[in-house]
Amino acid sequence: MTDGERLVYLILGNIGDEVALKNICEAHSIEMEEIDDQAKKFLIHTNQFYCDIEAFMDLHLEIKEEFDFLLKSGDIVKTTDGFVWKNVV
């Protein structure tokens, strides 16, 4: 991932990604069908979905130990399709 791609992804996050939204809702124990568009927009802007550990490490230039720390602390949650960094903003 180039610096430009990394910056765009950090700014836009998972906007428009239904899989990300589904996993973010799962991480917060919310039924996606039960929330309005405003709540969906808030969740997509305040949480980050990663398909795997490598995607997190590549995007944030972090080591696995940092990911493991966030997972153990509950800041990152394992979901059906990957991982969600909750309330990252």
Side-chain angles (χ1 to χ4, degrees), residues 2-86:
T2 68
D3 287 342
E5 291 171 326
R6 185 175 289 108
L7 182 61
V8 168
Y9 194 78
L10 288 171
I11 292 169
L12 296 179
N14 300 124
I15 293 173
D17 186 339
E18 287 296 314
V19 172
L21 181 59
K22 176 183 79 96
N23 282 273
I24 291 167
C25 287
E26 179 185 333
H28 286 279
S29 301
I30 298 170
E31 293 294 326
M32 194 164 81
E33 299 78 23
E34 296 178 5
I35 59 175
D36 63 18
D37 288 341
Q38 184 79 7
K40 289 177 183 177
K41 186 176 180 179
F42 176 78
L43 286 171
I44 210 80
H45 284 291
T46 57
N47 297 270
Q48 186 65 50
F49 170 72
Y50 306 93
C51 57
D52 54 36
I53 296 168
E54 289 77 19
F56 171 86
M57 292 187 318
D58 188 38
L59 182 64
H60 297 286
L61 303 173
E62 290 289 349
I63 57 174
K64 187 171 181 317
E65 287 75 17
E66 179 63 22
F67 179 87
D68 291 340
F69 172 78
L70 291 167
L71 187 64
K72 187 174 181 176
S73 70
D75 293 318
I76 291 182
V77 176
K78 173 75 175 112
T79 59
T80 303
D81 301 306
F83 299 89
V84 172
W85 191 352
K86 293 172 56 176

